[in-house]
Amino acid sequence: MTEPVLVALIGLIGSGAGTFGGILVSSRLTQYRLEQLEKKVEVHNKVIERVYRLEERTELQEEKIKVANHRIGDLEEAARV
């Protein structure tokens, strides 16, 4: 083989290895970032579920307060009579 062909083949192998290495590193970084985003989404979803349960409890407590106030009003009316 002539010297220019050998240099070209070495350059081709080097370029291919560099490109392949870059693709692997980029893929790993992308995978890592996706995992971190999935963790954040999971935490967010847990917060949303907790807020939903708190809202349900709040509605129930407000209904109980309305019933209690109505009973108090009935008792006050009965006491006046």
Side-chain angles (χ1 to χ4, degrees):
M1 268 193 223
T2 63
E3 187 177 327
V5 172
L6 186 59
V7 170
L9 286 174
I10 291 172
L12 177 65
I13 292 170
S15 295
T19 301
F20 185 69
I23 290 171
L24 286 177
V25 169
S26 177
S27 175
R28 287 181 185 163
L29 178 61
T30 301
Q31 184 63 31
Y32 172 76
R33 294 181 74 189
L34 281 173
E35 288 172 1
Q36 298 305 310
L37 285 171
E38 287 171 352
K39 289 178 184 177
K40 287 182 179 181
V41 167
E42 185 177 331
V43 169
H44 174 74
N45 286 342
K46 287 180 182 178
V47 170
I48 295 298
E49 289 173 12
R50 287 175 32 203
V51 168
Y52 179 72
R53 284 186 294 216
L54 288 172
E55 288 175 345
E56 285 180 336
R57 288 184 196 169
T58 302
E59 289 176 14
L60 181 62
Q61 294 299 323
E62 287 175 353
E63 186 63 31
K64 287 181 179 181
I65 290 171
K66 286 179 185 177
V67 169
N69 285 337
H70 185 67
R71 287 182 179 175
I72 290 170
D74 288 347
L75 290 172
E76 287 174 347
E77 281 185 29
R80 285 187 218 155
V81 177

